[in-house]
Amino acid sequence: MNADEGPGGKPAGQPARKPDHDVLLGALLAVTLPFLLDFDGGSGSRVTLAGWRLPEACLSRLLWHVPCPGCGLTRSLVRVAHGDLVGAWRQHRVGPILYLFCLLQVVFRVWLLFRPAAFWQGTWQRINHRAAWGMLALFLVNWLARLLERAGG
């Protein structure tokens, strides 16, 4: 690296490209993995992979019997992948919205791969960050609503 180069061998004045591959991979996994999962014997409560029951993943529910903001999300995403939007909504109200968000992230991130690094800076970056914060807010509001429903009976 000479004195005129910044990180990654780019000229010092040019902004480094924000790595989008990790977000693209995560969104791809969230969109495709639910197609590999199913439910055991019609109960609809336990998720299976190739017939093997997956273990309960929520420590909050296991230890304190209180659901976390993501409880039911895997089942919801599996239902979306299998075309059961009503069931997905019943499992986790944010699940179908998250699935759509991840699908849009895949399209957006692939599109970004063919754009110059400077294209990401500014407006697109702000829109993406606001959308991510909006998803987080939806999770928290949904979680509080579920806790209030549970407390109410």
Side-chain angles (χ1 to χ4, degrees), residues 31-108:
V31 170
T32 57
L33 281 182
F35 283 100
L36 301 176
L37 302 175
D38 208 348
F39 295 101
D40 65 347
S43 72
S45 62
R46 294 298 299 268
V47 177
T48 62
L49 174 64
W52 293 85
R53 290 176 74 181
L54 299 180
E56 180 75 33
C58 182
L59 287 176
S60 175
R61 186 181 294 256
L62 287 172
L63 297 175
W64 301 294
H65 306 288
V66 176
C68 75
C71 275
L73 190 58
T74 301
R75 292 185 301 272
S76 180
L77 294 178
V78 171
R79 290 192 185 283
V80 169
H82 292 277
D84 181 10
L85 295 179
V86 173
W89 179 263
R90 287 185 185 135
Q91 290 290 322
H92 195 292
R93 289 177 284 231
V94 181
I97 299 165
L98 178 67
Y99 193 89
L100 177 62
F101 180 76
C102 288
L103 190 61
L104 292 173
Q105 282 292 319
V106 169
V107 172
F108 179 65

Side-chain angles (χ1 to χ4, degrees), residues 1 8 15 18 22-23 27 37-38 40-42 48 55 72-73 75 80-81 98 115 119 134 142-143 146:
M1 181 164 95
K18 181 185 180 305
D22 54 344
V23 177
L37 302 175
D38 208 348
D40 65 347
T48 62
L73 190 58
R75 292 185 301 272
V80 169
L98 178 67
R115 300 288 176 257
F119 186 80
N142 182 63
W143 181 55
R146 289 175 76 184

